[in-house]
Amino acid sequence: MAAHRGSSGTLRRRQCGNLPDMAELIPIDSADDPRLADYVHLRESSLRRSLEAEHGIFIAEGDKVIRRAIETGYQPRSFLLAERWVSSLQDILDATPAPVFVVTEALAEAITGFHVHRGALASLLRTSGGTMADLLPLNRLVVLEDLVDHANVGTIIRSAAGLGWDGVLLSPRSADPLYRRAVKTSMGAVFALPWARMDDWAHGLEVLKQHGFTVVAMSPRSSAVPLADLAASIAEQPECRLALLVGTEGDGLSDRWLAQADVVVQIPMSHEIDSLNVAAATAIACYALGPAQRR
Ligand SMILES: C[S@@+](CC[C@H](N)C(=O)[O-])C[C@H]1O[C@@H](n2cnc3c(N)ncnc32)[C@H](O)[C@@H]1O
């Protein structure tokens, strides 16, 4: 929809017929405007972690991801949009009192420190989220031990959701699924798939076992059971409950979790490559051991 500048200097979309009042578009022309504090230095992860925790917010990027966040119930605090992306979110903007800051794409880059994907950002309020207890009734869980890379966390949540797994459990030190890069790489799956942080790393696997999960640890070690062998036996007991453990990017799973697992499974490797990226390995295992494989 076209926008025009009102007498107050704000951009206000033209109203049609008897529609209720629409969101006001607030043009911004300085990267130092204090109203943009939620959007500064988006590439500086340690600064962002403390800022987002302090204000209880997270950032969603791109019109589709913003739309998914709001449609699944997250409350927007504000939007930062290049003018040409306003119309793609018009219905969302009109349904909320959150301010809509409109900038040029160059100014968005100056504020955030990077080229903004599809010229659209939203700052949203975090919720308290799920707990490990919420995930225990589910059948297929991916469990992340201390993954540090937000893109890996987001990609794994996307794969788990897309391949029919029921939830993702994170060790206490794993990267934040609501961090901007995780949200973006998940393509919004972080809003749809249940996930939670484990309360206690040392005893988390015992709790899973007490609730009937078979704990499967993924490791590239050659002594492990080939994934295809486990997939064949799972196919004969489709109702069995699985917790699939994957390890941190550098060192892999801890000795403690490997020792506690019911079975250690490998994806056999070739060409002297010693391991896969953790998100790639998880996607393969989710397919081989999940409902998609049985269709
Ligand atoms: C980059 S790898 C870590 C490699 C580490 N040197 C190790 O021995 O586990 C990160 C995680 O991805 C999973 N992974 C990677 N390649 C795998 C493979 N070929 N088979 C099974 N799991 C694998 C494992 O869960 C591993 O902990």
Side-chain angles (χ1 to χ4, degrees):
M1 172 176 284
H4 70 279
R5 198 173 289 274
S7 54
S8 63
T10 58
L11 290 169
R12 177 178 283 275
R13 273 159 292 149
R14 289 192 196 106
Q15 293 187 3
C16 315
N18 294 325
L19 288 179
D21 202 8
M22 297 175 179
E24 220 170 21
L25 307 183
I26 303 165
I28 301 279
D29 55 17
S30 165
D32 298 326
D33 192 308
R35 290 173 291 184
L36 304 185
D38 285 2
Y39 301 98
V40 296
H41 305 306
L42 288 183
R43 298 192 77 172
E44 294 177 32
S45 60
S46 58
L47 184 73
R48 289 301 306 183
R49 276 202 293 275
S50 53
L51 187 148
E52 292 182 13
E54 187 186 336
H55 295 288
I57 60 166
F58 68 95
I59 299 293
E61 183 183 355
D63 56 333
K64 288 197 182 72
V65 173
I66 292 171
R67 184 176 287 283
R68 263 179 215 159
I70 292 170
E71 285 173 353
T72 49
Y74 285 94
Q75 294 298 317
R77 191 156 109 133
S78 67
F79 299 87
L80 180 70
L81 304 176
E83 193 171 344
R84 73 191 173 96
W85 290 104
V86 169
S87 59
S88 68
L89 284 167
Q90 183 188 310
D91 54 323
I92 294 274
L93 304 180
D94 289 344
T96 158
V100 183
F101 303 121
V102 181
V103 293
T104 62
E105 290 188 24
L107 186 58
E109 191 164 342
I111 295 159
T112 60
F114 73 107
H115 176 70
V116 179
H117 177 63
R118 294 171 70 85
L121 293 167
S123 167
L124 299 122
L125 298 176
R126 284 174 183 257
T127 59
S128 52
T131 65
M132 180 168 172
D134 297 330
L135 301 193
L136 294 174
L138 304 175
N139 268 329
R140 290 282 195 281
L141 296 180
V142 178
V143 188
L144 313 185
E145 189 183 35
D146 296 359
L147 266 65
V148 295
D149 185 302
H150 291 100
N152 282 337
V153 170
T155 305
I156 286 172
I157 292 176
R158 180 180 183 180
S159 298
L163 294 168
W165 285 56
D166 302 316
V168 173
L169 192 55
L170 297 98
S171 67
R173 293 195 305 190
S174 286
D176 176 13
L178 287 181
Y179 189 74
R180 179 183 59 87
R181 281 203 74 213
V183 169
K184 183 177 173 185
T185 53
S186 84
M187 284 303 295
V190 286
F191 309 130
L193 191 75
W195 58 266
R197 256 181 218 288
M198 198 175 255
D199 318 307
D200 175 2
W201 168 82
H203 300 103
L205 301 191
E206 285 163 28
V207 175
L208 289 169
K209 287 180 174 185
Q210 283 158 10
H211 283 79
F213 284 92
T214 298
V215 174
V216 177
M218 293 296 297
S219 165
R221 58 180 61 184
S222 56
S223 58
V225 174
L227 177 63
D229 293 0
L230 180 67
S233 73
I234 295 291
E236 286 167 17
Q237 354 160 21
E239 299 317 316
C240 95
R241 310 178 74 208
L242 293 183
L244 181 77
L245 315 183
V246 294
T248 189
E249 290 87 349
D251 295 336
L253 286 167
S254 63
D255 290 343
R256 183 183 180 102
W257 275 26
L258 283 166
Q260 286 184 307
D262 295 303
V263 55
V264 181
V265 169
Q266 57 144 323
I267 301 164
M269 305 294 300
S270 303
H271 292 292
E272 295 177 20
I273 303 294
D274 62 0
S275 67
L276 295 173
N277 161 275
V278 62
T282 307
I284 291 168
C286 282
Y287 179 74
L289 304 176
Q293 191 258 5
R294 295 196 297 275
R295 278 190 208 124

